[in-house]
Amino acid sequence: MTSPLPHPLPALTAALAAAALLAGCSAEPSGQDPAGAGATPSADAAEPSAGPSAGPAGPDLPEAADGTDLEACADAECEVLVEAGDEFAMDGTHGVARFVVDAVDGEGLGMSGFGPGIELSGRLPPPDGGRPPTFVMNGFTVTLVAVDGSTALMTLSP
């Protein structure tokens, strides 16, 4: 009887394993930190701050007399910087108890007013260099003075 030939499978398996190990090794370019190469920024750096803007006006917005103090608008007389989602209580003199900034974007300012038995909403287009756009909401006037990205300068006046 003849002796069986050696089986090629163990040699092939060893060769494939060696090739896989070598393929997984690669040289890092000089000057690059391999530990930081795949790292992602920290959560603090990746997420914008939440809440109303408390900083100074953007480069295209004039300073607001009342800054970001939305409480100054309770009597329907103020000049403030606003962003979408801002809202404030009003004293109800004009039938509006709560004012909400629905949107601030390239299309202007969207807003709503709520009171007992009343719901008002409107949209002002961005100012075009002429007279600023206005919206009368139940006896007080909302004026859109300027828009810069997601921040707007608006005034309320009786």
Side-chain angles (χ1 to χ4, degrees), residues 53-59 61-63 68 81 151:
S53 169
L61 290 176
E63 289 292 323
T68 58
L81 293 171
T151 305

Side-chain angles (χ1 to χ4, degrees), residues 5 9 14 25 34 38 40 61 65 73 81 89 102 115 123 146 148-149 156-157:
L5 293 174
L9 190 54
C25 297
T40 57
L61 290 176
C73 298
L81 293 171
D102 298 318
R123 188 165 220 0
D148 182 22
L156 300 185
S157 56

Side-chain angles (χ1 to χ4, degrees), residues 46-86:
E47 293 187 26
S49 62
S53 169
D60 295 333
L61 290 176
E63 289 292 323
D66 297 305
T68 58
D69 180 14
L70 301 179
E71 292 177 11
C73 298
D75 62 353
E77 193 164 356
C78 63
E79 180 181 70
V80 291
L81 293 171
V82 295
E83 296 179 336
D86 285 349

Side-chain angles (χ1 to χ4, degrees), residues 6 12 15 24 36 50 52 72-73 96 114 124 127 130 137 140-141 144 151 153:
L12 181 60
C73 298
V96 176
F114 304 91
L124 290 169
M137 183 181 284
F140 66 94
T141 303
L144 180 56
T151 305
L153 174 61

Side-chain angles (χ1 to χ4, degrees), residues 26-40:
S26 65
E28 289 292 327
S30 64
Q32 189 171 4
D33 177 17
T40 57

